[in-house]
Amino acid sequence: MPEGPELHLASRFVNEACGGLVFGGCVEKSPISRNPEVPFESSAYRISASARGKELRLTLSPLPGAQPPQEPLALVFRFGMSGSFQLVPRDMLPPHAHLRFYTAPPGPRLALCFVDIRRFGHWDLGGEWQPGRGPCVLLEYEQFRENVLQNLADKAFDRPICEALLDQRFFNGIGNYLRAEILYRGILDLWHPKGASPTRRNPRDCSRDLRTERRTLHPQARPLLGHEGHGEASLSKLQPSSPRGLASNRTQKPLQSLKREEEGAT
């Protein structure tokens, strides 16, 4: 899912790709999109973009003398799970291009498209940022930091840190993948509560957990009918290895020594 960095890069792409282009005509919406129509028409206008957290603002600015006379119009986009902008030739529109802005002649006929395969993305007219979202963690760091420090008494910070990081009132632009990356790089316990000293997890513990997970899957593996001969080969590929050898070899030595001790006692 696109998060703060992807929205920021999308705004940079629009500004760099469309900075020298003049657009004209109507804004075209695909008939299957449930988003609102964009009532904008101008013979010549430019497009610029800015991003804030998980939102991107697109501004359509008519050039002097453009017809019909039109005030600038701003749209705010939220990308959902698969939204993006693409600049393509007019006659080669990509599938799922739900909003299209066409360049004016002369010059190559191009289209700036908002492409959204899963159709969870949304745009609003008016250009206002969604209320309730905090400052952008990328571009408004000082305001973001102050907003968090002033609201530490909020109930959101009584929850585990992995849940608090998704609250867009304080962490506008942070989503699932950024949350996981932040906590992994900080080697923090995902569930430590507010007020507790951060519990730093041991990377070795995580690697042992992963190896254990893989070993527990092995006894449940069964070859498909007609493929019995491939069972052992498939399991051997799944065996975790390390500089000390296979896990099965490491577990056999303690069992053998224990058996010798029992025989000596009898």
Side-chain angles (χ1 to χ4, degrees), residues 223-232:
L224 297 175
L225 293 177
H227 296 77
E228 290 82 356
H230 299 284
E232 293 183 2

Side-chain angles (χ1 to χ4, degrees), residues 189-208:
D189 176 13
L190 305 185
W191 302 99
H192 83 268
K194 171 189 174 183
S197 58
T199 304
R200 301 182 73 82
R201 56 181 176 77
N202 187 341
R204 293 184 179 180
D205 292 339
C206 294
S207 62
R208 283 199 296 270

Side-chain angles (χ1 to χ4, degrees), residues 50-64:
S50 60
R52 183 176 185 265
K54 286 191 177 184
E55 297 179 298
L56 182 146
R57 177 190 287 154
L58 212 63
T59 303
L60 316 181
S61 305
L63 297 179

